Amino acid sequence: MEVVVAVGRAQPDEPAVLTGAPDGPEEVPVARLPARIAELESRHRPRWVWADTARLYPHLLDAGVRVARCHDLRLCRRILAAGEHGREDHDSGGAGVDLGQAHGASWEAGASWEIRPAHEPTLLDGLEQELGPAEVAAEHARQREVVAACPEPGRLRLLLAAESAGALVAAEMRHDGLPWDRAAHDRILTEILGPRPPHGSRPALLEELAGQIRTHLSAPSLNPDSPSDLLRALNAAGIEVGTTRKWELNQVRHPAIPPLLEYKKLARLLTANGWAWLEEWVHPVRHPGPGTGRELARFRPEYVVAGVVTGRWATSGGGALQLPKQVRGAVVADPGWRFVVADAAQLEPRVLAAMARDEGMAAAARGIDLYQGLVDQGIVDTRAHAKVAMLGALYGSTSGEAGRLMPRLLRAYPRATGVVEAAARTGEQGGTVRTWLGRRSPDPPPAWREAQRGAAAEGAAAEEVRRARQLAREWGRFTRNFVVQGTAAEWALCWLADVRGRLRALAANRGPWSGPGADVGPHLVFFLHDEVVVHTPADLAEEVAEAVRAAAAAAGRLLFGDFPIEFPLDVAVVETYADAA
């Protein structure tokens, strides 16, 4: 059963409208909406259809209401709109490629769907406000119509369901927060940087390094935090570099470089996760419960579902997806609780093998270490070479060690390498590719097409031709990786959704627990591409670990059926995130 939720936009006290409820459409005062949704959720467990999970669901969570599933019209609209724009009238002569036909694998089709709109896009293209009942219902009907018209609607429905489930998880993780020990964070910063300085001042160690840099560069007033000032000082000292980036500075031999590199590393820590960050993003729990023994706190970042074009997540605040190892010792489970930390081993190569139905590569992937599997099959001589070769295949490296090893992969795994090679050729021609479930890659930017037209014109200069070819190769590398990274993101979303469901079942069967998580039991608190962290009562930790493993296997079957590919996990039960590394 689906229940469409529309919250009135004209007045703050305008009622919400529920369409598809068991007793027919009904109006509910917004103040009573959480209670009514909780009642329907308990009785019927419907799929809730609403405009934007990120805007509505936090209000339900604040009221203590959680739902099992939803359809997020905004996120789904973005996926469908990208498909609608995939026309075959590009200057390149074609947008989209059926990778199954391109490399001869028995891929169950659908890689080059053309989803054409039945009418003009709706205002969900730029959602800036709550939508009225008619608009929400119309958008929902339109999306169903578009999906039904696809050659393989089942795949697209799965993608939309997974994306919507991800939105629920993102809102719940922000609401519940990642357990954090503020005192431990302060100790870590003090050990690395020195005592916390007065506001606006540098920590003692940074100030000492700044002094060394100034002395070695003969620049007594230099501000090493200013890239432009630093570059001028480096050049004035005879150090010929074009940027102040680490990779370029590493090529230079000069006494100023070691303290400068150390300064940049520590300054990055101070800026990204220093004391100011701690004050802004990590806050004490109001009611920690009895017997905690220490102040409990939570880090609540702002996750952005599908913030990257491949479907990977991003953050718009807090930098959760870039937590450095130095501060992970401050991520500490509550007393009596543990973290279950699990990450998928070599996810993208395994996904590639499954997409291509490459049984040889799948055989190498059996077990925890796919790279060692390549060595055992005699494809390469060392694990290090296996990793270089595989990353070269995924990212299109054609020079150096990767270029030398790539032909071995082409011979050993023609199906798998055929997928990425076909995707690269399509990108080089200006076309688009799709992930396993149907997320479409963006078109090349206008400047890219302009460069290709200029190079194709009669009398084009050699430099124009060279530049156009370079841009074509770069876009080919993007589409090459898009099909794999995007499909890996789909697997991860399915895994995440299944983990969430299994945790809900565990919570329903066990408890009660003490502490800030007592109302939800074991729950997801962190997600990073191919890694999840669950905060769980200690006595449930092993059951949670098994549930996370089972969810990984289920996600593989959901996407790839009975193809014999394994998705093994590294799983650790720890009290602090740092211990899982």
Side-chain angles (χ1 to χ4, degrees), residues 90-181:
H90 287 313
D91 294 344
S92 65
V97 59
D98 187 329
L99 297 180
Q101 295 178 5
H103 66 76
S106 59
W107 190 15
E108 284 101 351
S112 58
W113 297 334
E114 292 300 324
I115 305 175
R116 298 178 181 273
H119 47 75
E120 289 301 310
T122 71
L123 56 97
L124 276 175
D125 285 329
L127 180 61
E128 299 294 340
Q129 57 188 345
E130 296 291 356
L131 303 181
E135 293 154 320
V136 170
E139 178 63 26
H140 181 223
R142 181 180 184 284
Q143 290 190 10
R144 292 169 65 116
E145 174 186 319
V146 170
V147 171
C150 292
E152 284 202 89
R155 288 196 185 194
L156 192 54
R157 288 193 187 100
L158 177 55
L159 174 57
L160 301 183
E163 193 92 328
S164 298
L168 294 175
V169 173
E172 289 170 357
M173 289 199 302
R174 175 167 171 76
H175 178 269
D176 296 333
L178 179 62
W180 208 275
D181 188 328

